[in-house]
């Protein structure tokens, strides 16, 4: 299988996971069904609780960090720019727009992915009358491995400003590239945007028994983790070497235990019980979220405590 084709296939997997969560009541997303084929929707209904709960944790924690950054950095006339790397068929923009969250907070919301992924997403949006919107939203085809070309597209096609606070989001994107490509991109972004936050969600800890099996499974599916790092500490040092001043990184188990309210955990327990407690802990210890930030204003720091 062509390597890029294997990576693109993960987009469909993510949408099925999201649909499974939505149909069971973990969280709401009135748009996700538009991006899932009926045959895949049937498959999603058989996803086990551990997969559903893992995607729930990812969705809730990342959304919380994004909203916190928007709140802290959209004061007065200042507005935030958002850039989603490897957006796939993600629907967060449309959720936030419907909820009125973007108004007075965001000046640009840019999504980018491979040209064919973007073309497929654009068609679905147009077929459902979702592309008729203000200049806020920009959907562009770009290979982020070609850093200079990507930065030129951000400026020339999307009209991004380097002097505005900017949030970059990469969910399971950088980890599929060789480190030489992802580090070059991280370095370019950190140097170009002095007021910025980069949120990275991806796999980690490939060298223990669970991690080795994870690597084997993903390689067998045609999407090996070419850019995985060995530990949370290595991820922190990597981001600092790429020019990010303030770096926080934790595995999903720590973030879930600290950041999900007890009443919310009780609610999802009522949806479906989780029997595989040890496997659940191992799974979350092999995914992490990194928040790397450049800013001269301490009040703009994202709250990684999730309080």
């Amino acid at each position: 299988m062509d390597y890029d084709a294997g990576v693109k296939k993960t987009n469909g997997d993510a949408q099925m996971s999201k649909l499974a969560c939505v149909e069971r009541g973990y969280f709401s997303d009135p748009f996700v069904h538009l991006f899932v084929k009926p045959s895949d929707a049937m498959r999603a209904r058989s996803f086990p609780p551990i997969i559903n709960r893992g995607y729930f944790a990812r969705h809730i924690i990342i959304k919380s960090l994004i909203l916190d950054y928007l709140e802290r950095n959209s004061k007065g006339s200042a507005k935030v720019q958002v850039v989603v790397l490897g957006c796939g068929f993600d629907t967060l923009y449309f959720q936030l727009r419907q909820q009125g969250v973007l108004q007075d907070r965001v000046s640009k919301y840019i999504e980018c992915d491979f040209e064919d992924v973007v073309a497929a997403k654009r068609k679905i949006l147009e077929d459902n009358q979702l592309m008729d919107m203000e200049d806020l939203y920009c959907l562009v085809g770009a290979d982020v491995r070609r850093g200079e070309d990507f930065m030129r597209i951000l400026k020339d096609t999307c009209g991004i400003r380097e002097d505005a606070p900017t949030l970059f989001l990469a969910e399971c994107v950088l980890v599929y590239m060789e480190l030489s490509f992802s580090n070059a991109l991280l370095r370019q972004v950190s140097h170009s945007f002095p007021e910025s936050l980069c949120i990275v969600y991806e796999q980690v800890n490939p060298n223990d028994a669970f991690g080795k099996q994870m690597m084997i499974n993903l390689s067998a599916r045609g999407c090996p983790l070419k850019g995985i790092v060995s530990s949370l500490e290595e991820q922190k040092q990597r981001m600092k070497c790429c020019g990010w001043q303030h770096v926080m990184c934790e595995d999903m188990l720590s973030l879930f235990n600290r950041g999900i309210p007890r009443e919310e955990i009780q609610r999802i327990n009522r949806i479906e019980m989780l029997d595989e407690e040890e496997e659940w802990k191992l799974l979350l210890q092999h995914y992490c979220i990194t928040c790397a930030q450049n800013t001269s204003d301490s009040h703009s720091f994202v709250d990684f405590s999730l309080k």
Side-chain angles (χ1 to χ4, degrees):
M1 179 188 290
D2 172 64
Y3 178 69
D4 286 353
V7 173
K8 292 172 189 177
K9 188 176 180 296
T10 65
N11 173 42
D13 297 337
Q15 301 318 307
M16 283 193 289
S17 291
K18 189 184 297 183
L19 180 64
C21 287
V22 169
E23 290 194 340
R24 284 170 174 79
Y26 280 90
F27 55 81
S28 174
D29 181 346
F31 304 99
V32 66
H33 67 282
L34 301 174
F35 297 93
V36 182
K37 299 174 183 176
S39 58
D40 287 340
M42 290 293 292
R43 288 175 55 201
R45 294 186 181 107
S46 64
F47 281 13
I50 191 171
I51 298 299
N52 298 332
R53 188 172 293 208
Y55 199 91
F56 162 81
R58 167 184 175 176
H59 174 84
I60 294 298
I61 293 170
I62 290 176
K63 186 174 180 180
S64 174
L65 292 169
I66 291 171
L67 292 177
D68 184 66
Y69 187 77
L70 296 184
E71 180 66 26
R72 291 171 181 270
N73 289 274
S74 55
K75 305 294 184 183
S77 60
K79 291 185 178 182
V80 175
Q81 303 171 130
V82 178
V83 181
V84 184
L85 308 175
C87 63
F89 289 171
D90 185 65
T91 60
L92 182 60
Y93 168 79
F94 302 97
Q95 296 173 55
L96 297 179
R97 183 171 180 264
Q98 186 183 69
Q99 295 163 9
V101 171
L102 303 179
Q103 187 177 3
D104 301 325
R105 289 189 177 95
V106 174
S107 60
K108 285 282 182 185
Y109 198 107
I110 301 165
E111 294 189 327
C112 63
D113 210 315
F114 292 111
E115 292 278 2
D116 53 341
V117 175
V118 163
K121 184 171 190 175
R122 187 183 303 278
K123 185 177 188 313
I124 294 170
L125 294 174
E126 290 173 346
D127 288 348
N128 290 276
Q129 292 80 51
L130 288 172
M131 279 300 287
D132 183 19
M133 55 190 71
E134 66 277 11
D135 293 337
L136 181 67
Y137 183 67
C138 184
L139 176 63
V140 292
D143 186 340
V144 297
R145 291 170 297 191
R146 300 172 180 170
E148 292 185 5
D149 290 344
F150 172 60
M151 296 298 287
R152 187 161 49 249
I153 288 170
L154 288 183
K155 295 175 186 176
D156 297 346
T157 304
C158 304
I160 200 168
R161 292 173 45 191
E162 293 184 347
D163 61 340
T166 307
L167 187 158
F168 289 84
L169 175 63
E171 296 185 63
C172 290
V173 175
L174 304 182
V175 75
Y176 291 118
M177 308 178 199
E178 290 91 346
L179 283 169
S180 58
F181 287 120
S182 58
N183 287 347
L185 176 62
L186 289 166
R187 197 173 292 114
Q188 225 168 2
V189 168
S190 71
H191 291 169
S192 299
F193 296 87
E195 293 289 332
S196 57
L197 170 69
C198 185
I199 300 176
V200 179
Y201 170 86
E202 62 189 22
Q203 297 90 337
V204 72
N205 295 329
N207 296 322
D208 61 14
F210 188 98
K212 289 176 180 177
Q213 189 60 52
M214 174 179 71
M215 298 287 284
I216 291 170
N217 293 344
L218 288 167
S219 292
R221 297 183 60 202
C223 47
L225 303 179
K226 295 183 175 182
I228 192 169
V229 297
S230 61
S231 66
L232 300 178
E233 186 58 34
E234 183 180 337
Q235 181 78 323
K236 292 177 190 176
Q237 292 306 316
R238 167 200 187 192
M239 300 301 281
K240 289 179 180 178
C241 287
C242 289
W244 296 93
Q245 301 164 357
H246 311 281
V247 182
M248 298 163 286
C249 179
E250 290 191 36
D251 65 40
M252 287 297 291
L253 181 61
S254 297
L255 292 169
F256 182 86
N257 289 339
R258 188 179 71 243
I260 307 296
R262 179 176 297 181
E263 59 271 20
E264 189 67 357
I265 294 176
Q266 291 172 343
R267 183 185 70 83
I268 64 173
N269 281 340
R270 290 193 294 270
I271 293 174
E272 51 186 356
M273 289 299 296
L274 181 69
D275 296 324
E276 313 96 325
E277 277 294 337
E278 289 308 311
E279 187 179 354
W280 165 249
K281 291 177 182 177
L282 280 170
L283 178 66
L284 264 63
Q285 286 171 335
H286 288 80
Y287 284 82
C288 68
I289 291 180
T290 306
C291 284
Q293 190 165 358
N294 286 338
T295 182
S296 57
D297 180 5
S298 61
H299 295 292
S300 72
F301 286 149
V302 69
D303 183 8
F304 208 57
S305 69
L306 301 173
K307 293 179 180 178

